Amino acid sequence: MSYANTEVAQIAAISSNRCIGKDNELPWHISEDLQHFKSMTTAANDSAIKGIVIMGRKTFESMGSKPLPKRVSFIITSQLDYAEQKGLVGKDNAHVMHNLDEALTQAASLAHGAHLETIWIIGGEKVFKDAMMYTDRIELTHVDTEISGGDAFFPELPSDFVATETSEKKHDEKSGLDFEFVSYRRKG
């Protein structure tokens, strides 16, 4: 599917009931999952830009309204003055966009210039859903727990996605949760 010859990948940690967020926060803290996220979205290249991430406004705010280190953040919001509000005007590591197409187009152009093969969609629920039609690959951390009262969920995977790689089951001592990393690719 790819967007302007750049792979579009989604990355998320989801509970068994597909929950990805509660009260604008991750429903758990699993440091190995956070390390996995960082290593997936940060390329080991010579470019100043190590990764490109696209997210919605609430996801950006859940990360303290700060762009991720070594990565360029594209933040999607309908708020026209959001860049001014958050002090992002003129920043080269954070760009405010007003729709997904605009974010993907700008991100693909930047990825091409920085020799990055992947644009990462990192949330939240609406951005994951809207980007699904452009997505080539999905990296999910399946966390073995049910979250009640969650308010953000990962969409159902379309039937043309197949699991291509699954890690062994892992256990996080601090949270007491079991989890595994699964890679899905669009077939065809």
Side-chain angles (χ1 to χ4, degrees):
M1 193 60 165
S2 76
Y3 203 89
N5 299 323
T6 305
E7 181 183 60
V8 176
Q10 298 194 15
I11 186 165
I14 72 171
S15 68
S16 44
N17 60 332
R18 311 194 75 72
C19 182
I20 56 172
K22 185 173 178 173
D23 303 324
N24 211 28
E25 289 184 357
L26 288 174
W28 46 72
H29 181 87
I30 300 173
S31 49
E32 190 174 345
D33 177 54
L34 298 173
Q35 287 304 315
H36 175 72
F37 173 87
K38 184 179 177 184
S39 70
M40 294 300 278
T41 60
T42 313
N45 66 7
D46 301 335
S47 170
I49 299 169
K50 307 282 186 204
I52 297 171
V53 293
I54 295 176
M55 70 195 91
R57 173 188 62 79
K58 287 186 192 158
T59 299
F60 181 65
E61 290 173 1
S62 77
M63 299 184 312
S65 300
K66 290 184 178 68
L68 293 168
K70 299 183 182 140
R71 287 155 285 186
V72 174
S73 298
F74 285 87
I75 302 122
I76 302 169
T77 177
S78 58
Q79 294 177 22
L80 296 179
D81 62 347
Y82 191 74
E84 289 83 1
Q85 279 179 30
K86 295 290 177 186
L88 300 173
V89 178
K91 296 246 192 237
D92 50 12
N93 63 344
H95 304 280
V96 174
M97 301 283 142
H98 301 296
N99 62 60
L100 179 64
D101 284 342
E102 188 185 11
L104 282 166
T105 302
Q106 296 286 327
S109 169
L110 188 64
H112 181 75
H115 306 290
L116 291 168
E117 293 168 11
T118 308
I119 297 167
W120 290 96
I121 308 291
I122 66 168
E125 180 177 342
K126 183 178 183 336
V127 179
F128 283 135
K129 191 167 157 278
D130 292 350
M132 197 60 79
M133 64 195 271
Y134 304 109
T135 300
D136 306 292
R137 176 166 58 116
I138 299 173
E139 298 291 339
L140 290 181
T141 303
H142 288 278
V143 182
D144 193 12
T145 186
E146 288 268 329
I147 300 295
S148 61
D151 48 28
F153 295 86
F154 195 82
E156 289 288 331
L157 287 188
S159 58
D160 58 347
F161 276 92
V162 290
T164 55
E165 229 179 290
T166 303
S167 73
E168 73 278 7
K169 288 250 188 244
K170 298 169 177 283
H171 180 75
D172 180 63
E173 286 299 327
K174 268 192 181 156
S175 65
L177 294 170
D178 294 325
F179 62 99
E180 63 186 353
F181 302 126
V182 183
S183 297
Y184 297 88
R185 277 209 170 270
R186 193 182 288 274
K187 58 182 189 238

